[in-house]
Amino acid sequence: MPEPDPYENPKEAVAPTGAGGAMDLAMSEAETLRGSTGKPRSLWSDAWHQLRRNPVFLLSAALIVFLVLIAIWPQILTSADPLRCDLSKSQQGSAPGHPFGYDTQGCDVYTRTVYGARASITVGVCATLGAALLGSLLGGLAGFYGGWWDALLSRIADVFFGIPVVLGGLVFLSVVTSSTVWPVVGFIVLLGWPQLARIARGSVITAKQNDYVQAARALGAGSGRMLLRHVAPNAVAPVIVVATIALGTYIALEATLSFLGVGLRPPTVSWGIDISNAAPQIRNAPHMLLWPAGALSITVLAFIMLGDAVRDALDPKLR
């Protein structure tokens, strides 16, 4: 009886010896890159698929959502006034209704710690958005067009890179009398955009050398269309990663400047201000320092962890 020909019935065909494992691995990898509809997932959908399975991302995102909520509505956690103080309770420890104790002025440390999230997160988010938009715009144009514009931007960025951040803040903010967050935001944007501009420039230079950009240019697409339609969407991922990590750094920078007395100023409630006021009393009343410093550390750590998770999801080489 003749043996059946495997080519007549492909479903019964058997892979050659030694190739089955490689074929199965390739098929499994291809299936992971497809959604429920069977279509290949894009970079962003694939990144979101990876992030949903990353416990670091879920933990940091949940913590950041909680911090943003109490920054917008601190009344969720406390109904007290952070500026209402009682000198008779100066430096007292924990008491019923006041779990974190009192500071030197007799203000409730718990209430001030809750309200301090508003200023710090506002500075971090606004400074990150400003630096990312300005840096992406200037760096993207420099990387796409090159020439004298690229050289000029690189030299300007080198000048800003040479300015020490803390020293620049002492000089720039010492002449500002406003007690709002906007001078601090403006200073951070002024010194923060060169880093993001360099990231955007390098990413655009890499993206514009791809075949699809060259094909669009050969088909007669204009510079603006190529930049907005083909280059920018494929070059923005590194900027998002760096900006997410920088957000936590900017929050720490605001606290540092406020601690030195040139950042936010009273009556603004800030973790940096509270840490500065509590530092001389660290031996007598350590609770005044530990709670705002702990809240600051957790917030910075949450944004750095989020940035690391986003970086791992957007960079296939790290998977």
Side-chain angles (χ1 to χ4, degrees):
M1 182 176 179
E3 295 182 359
D5 187 358
Y7 295 100
E8 293 179 359
N9 190 358
K11 295 183 179 180
E12 299 179 357
V14 179
T17 304
M23 292 177 62
D24 294 341
L25 179 60
M27 292 176 63
S28 62
E29 290 179 353
E31 290 176 356
T32 58
L33 296 176
R34 295 178 181 272
S36 59
T37 60
K39 297 180 180 180
R41 290 198 296 257
S42 64
L43 171 65
W44 301 103
S45 60
D46 187 47
W48 174 241
H49 178 74
Q50 297 291 332
L51 287 173
R52 288 184 300 175
R53 301 185 176 186
N54 190 342
V56 175
F57 170 77
L58 297 178
L59 177 62
S60 59
L63 184 57
I64 289 172
V65 170
F66 172 74
L67 291 170
V68 171
L69 286 177
I70 66 173
I72 298 175
W73 298 293
Q75 295 81 7
I76 296 176
L77 297 181
T78 178
S79 59
D81 185 359
L83 301 179
R84 184 177 180 180
C85 307
D86 186 357
L87 284 175
S88 63
K89 300 178 180 179
S90 176
Q91 300 185 16
Q92 291 184 8
S94 177
H98 306 277
F100 294 176
Y102 299 88
D103 62 7
T104 304
Q105 301 296 324
C107 303
D108 184 18
V109 176
Y110 171 78
T111 303
R112 292 187 63 86
T113 301
V114 172
Y115 273 84
R118 173 177 294 177
S120 297
I121 292 180
T122 299
V123 170
V125 171
C126 293
T128 302
L129 290 176
L133 292 175
L134 182 60
S136 299
L137 177 62
L138 297 180
L141 293 176
F144 186 78
Y145 291 104
W148 66 269
W149 172 250
D150 187 14
L152 177 62
L153 179 71
S154 299
R155 301 293 77 78
I156 295 176
D158 290 340
V159 173
F160 281 95
F161 274 120
I163 301 176
V165 177
V166 176
L167 179 60
L170 290 173
V171 174
F172 180 82
L173 296 174
S174 61
V175 298
V176 178
T177 58
S178 175
S179 60
T180 63
V181 300
W182 303 116
V184 180
V185 171
F187 168 74
I188 296 176
V189 171
L190 183 64
L191 292 188
W193 72 265
Q195 179 188 16
L196 294 170
R198 283 195 171 181
I199 298 296
R201 173 184 175 273
S203 185
V204 167
I205 290 176
T206 302
K208 76 175 184 179
Q209 297 174 355
N210 292 328
D211 293 338
Y212 56 84
V213 178
Q214 303 299 329
R217 180 180 286 108
L219 292 174
S223 298
R225 179 180 177 84
M226 285 192 298
L227 180 60
L228 297 177
R229 183 76 179 272
H230 302 289
V231 176
N234 295 282
V236 71
V239 177
I240 293 177
V241 172
V242 175
T244 306
I245 298 176
L247 200 157
T249 305
Y250 294 159
I251 292 177
L253 177 59
E254 176 273 319
T256 301
L257 295 175
S258 298
F259 178 83
L260 296 175
V262 296
L264 301 180
R265 296 180 174 88
T268 303
V269 180
S270 168
W271 291 330
I273 295 176
D274 289 348
I275 293 173
S276 177
N277 294 333
Q281 307 297 331
I282 182 62
R283 293 185 178 182
N284 300 328
H287 64 275
M288 293 172 47
L289 177 65
L290 295 179
W291 292 113
L296 174 64
S297 301
I298 292 174
T299 303
V300 174
L301 179 62
F303 281 104
I304 292 178
M305 291 170 55
L306 180 68
D308 289 340
V310 172
R311 179 198 59 193
D312 295 343
L314 291 178
D315 190 352
K317 298 179 182 179
L318 298 177
R319 298 176 191 168

